[in-house]
Amino acid sequence: MDSTSADFTPHGKHLIAGEWVAGDATFASEPAHGKAFDYAVGTPALVNSACVAAEDAFWSYGYTTAAARADFLDTIADEIEARGPQITAIGTSESGLPAARLEGERGRTTGQLRLFASHIRKGDYLDRRHDAALPDRQPLPRPDMVMIQRPIGPVAVFGASNFPLAFSTAGGDTAAALAAGCPVVVKGHSAHPGTGEIIAEAIHAAIEKCGMHPGVFSLIQGGKRDVGQALVQHPLIKAVGFTGSLAGGRALFDLCAQRPEPIPFFGELGSVNPMFVLPAALAARGAAIGKGWAGSLTMGAGQFCTNPGIAVVPKGAEGDAFVAAAIEALSKVGPQVMLTDGIATAYKDGKARFDGRNAVKSLLCNDDEGRHASPNLFETDADSYLQDHGLGEEVFGPLGLVVRVADADEMETLAKGFEGQLTATIHMDDSDTDAARRLLPILERKAGRVLVNGFPTGVEVAGAMVHGGPYPASTNFGATSVGTLSIRRFLRPVCYQNVPAALLPA
């Protein structure tokens, strides 16, 4: 492919074990701008073909060296970068995201592939442990025992709507599974099928260059619920990675649990990411925090899973100044294109949940047509929030809720009332330390990542990152979908007792 050209015409086929496969039924993409294309519709039969090929691939790929898999990940990154202009062109057309955002996301995608490659080369991810034999121990000798993490088998990955690259075809779940030694079957998201196709081409090229089994990766486009159901319930699939809605994720999670052989479902589902503004910080820089919150709330039209949808702010004049600054900043943000028509409709429906509630005050109201969304801001008090579960449900888009509290005790009570979150943020100054110390034990039980004096919409791909949290933020509170620890989701420990060294995994 000519890397200097941005021309890319999708062929609209699935990639099943190295073969591009068409289908009888097709669906048309719904781009934000530009030309629509037709894509083959996925079927349970294609799911079966992909899963059988993935299981066949596992017998070789699951036993490759870490160095070989690392080279494979690096080659995928190279192939994605070689298609950079084409990826940006089709990605911006389908999603409506600006070119700079897609280029940054492409860098994040290739960066995490290379980070995982470097990480597995070191071998620490295997958590190897050795208890040497004690043949003379009384009253019984101890055998020689070696423990090592081993790949679990084929993994299903569902592409995400809001990250066409970093959380989709070759995104974090796929990269982590491949790093662990697990073949992957991806169900592409219908919001960006062309982007999925060109990334699949890059992976396919890397498979051929590295001499991997073609079943190590398959992409199934489109399809109705029966395709997703067939994928998570296929007996050869051993784990599922998912980023999406609470309703959709919970349905798939239940299907995984109901299988004859239940499997882990690593779902990132929903989060409002509360932000707590403590008194001294509010007095010193409340307006600046309010302005910064508005920027984080509307970044990417609010279509981030870490979007800080709720600000907990003390009552009084200083809290009023925070709110005024947020309103002023939000008022300057015009309509933004959302990822799909369906997401735009869901945003409007979410806003409607707040309209007309007696205990909720509208601070900024905007109504948009079509696929656009403008900021909306509401306010309530702690008692009303705790009594109305609907106020804590995620609205995917640039909608914010300010919850006013009377004092530190009410702030703590409110914090205890939150459900599980991906993130929780504290804004504080030095004189807020005692209040923050009381709040922190609550927040670390509620969230996978706790921030101080920042905004959660930036998620670093690093060894210490945790992108997960108690339900409903995710379905497995002990896992992360971002960072090197995410590889561990697709491994399981095996103890080898008195096994000769020549037989142990490399």
Side-chain angles (χ1 to χ4, degrees), residues 59-438:
W59 293 109
S60 58
Y61 187 71
Y63 299 87
T64 53
T65 65
R69 294 196 304 278
D71 290 345
F72 178 42
L73 295 176
D74 282 337
T75 305
I76 295 173
D78 292 342
E79 293 295 329
I80 290 173
E81 288 178 345
R83 293 159 172 78
Q86 295 87 355
I87 293 170
T88 299
I90 191 70
T92 54
S93 171
E94 290 182 326
S95 68
L97 295 170
R101 156 68 194 274
L102 262 295
E103 289 163 0
E105 192 180 330
R106 187 177 75 244
R108 175 192 175 99
T109 304
T110 57
Q112 67 189 355
L113 285 162
R114 292 196 168 100
L115 174 65
F116 290 178
S118 175
H119 183 69
I120 64 174
R121 283 190 179 102
K122 298 173 184 176
D124 295 344
Y125 76 105
L126 295 172
D127 192 22
R128 290 170 290 201
R129 305 180 185 202
H130 182 205
D131 292 307
L134 298 175
D136 299 324
R137 189 183 69 173
Q138 295 298 327
L140 294 172
R142 185 178 76 182
D144 185 88
M145 294 177 290
V146 173
M147 190 276 284
I148 190 170
Q149 301 285 338
R150 301 298 294 149
I152 59 174
V155 171
V157 172
F158 286 73
S161 63
N162 58 334
F163 280 87
L165 300 174
F167 278 89
S168 289
T169 311
D173 287 344
T174 297
L178 292 176
C182 299
V184 175
V185 178
V186 172
K187 183 184 182 300
H189 200 288
S190 58
H192 42 75
T195 310
E197 180 184 305
I198 194 171
I199 296 297
E201 285 190 353
I203 299 173
H204 177 54
I207 288 172
E208 291 186 327
K209 284 188 176 181
C210 295
M212 296 297 178
H213 188 295
V216 77
F217 175 85
S218 292
L219 169 69
I220 301 170
Q221 296 278 27
K224 299 180 180 179
R225 291 183 179 179
D226 61 338
V227 175
Q229 180 174 336
L231 186 54
V232 302
Q233 292 192 307
H234 198 285
L236 296 176
I237 291 295
K238 299 305 179 184
V240 178
F242 174 88
T243 300
S245 70
L246 176 58
R250 183 53 197 253
L252 294 174
F253 172 81
D254 290 344
L255 289 173
C256 287
Q258 293 163 8
R259 288 173 36 141
E261 178 201 1
I263 59 173
F265 179 85
F266 299 104
E268 182 202 304
L269 307 183
S271 185
V272 294
N273 305 293
M275 184 180 81
F276 298 81
V277 186
L278 301 188
L282 183 65
R285 48 195 171 84
I289 298 172
K291 182 179 179 180
W293 179 50
S296 183
L297 188 68
T298 58
M299 182 184 298
Q303 299 169 115
F304 288 90
C305 45
T306 53
N307 186 37
I310 293 181
V312 180
V313 182
K315 296 177 180 178
E318 291 166 342
D320 294 343
F322 167 93
V323 172
I327 293 172
E328 181 182 4
L330 291 170
S331 299
K332 297 176 181 178
V333 178
Q336 299 181 71
V337 178
M338 301 205 82
L339 292 160
T340 69
D341 292 332
I343 290 174
T345 299
Y347 175 67
K348 295 176 178 64
D349 292 343
K351 173 182 177 292
R353 296 205 313 264
F354 288 80
D355 292 329
R357 268 182 161 92
N358 292 331
V360 177
K361 176 183 177 183
S362 176
L363 301 177
L364 178 67
C365 181
N366 285 297
D367 292 307
D368 293 292
E369 298 294 331
R371 196 160 159 171
H372 289 80
S374 295
N376 288 277
L377 187 64
F378 298 88
E379 182 180 276
T380 191
D381 59 79
D383 285 341
S384 298
Y385 180 89
L386 291 172
Q387 293 172 18
D388 189 346
H389 177 76
L391 297 177
E393 295 177 3
E394 180 186 27
V395 178
F396 195 60
L399 183 146
L401 175 66
V402 181
V403 182
R404 304 299 290 268
V405 294
D407 51 30
D409 289 340
E410 190 168 59
M411 184 176 282
E412 290 177 35
T413 300
L414 179 66
K416 290 177 180 178
F418 278 105
E419 294 184 312
Q421 305 291 330
L422 292 170
T423 75
T425 301
I426 299 173
H427 286 274
M428 59 174 287
D429 281 356
D430 288 344
S431 54
D432 290 315
T433 298
D434 287 342
R437 186 177 290 117
R438 292 170 56 188

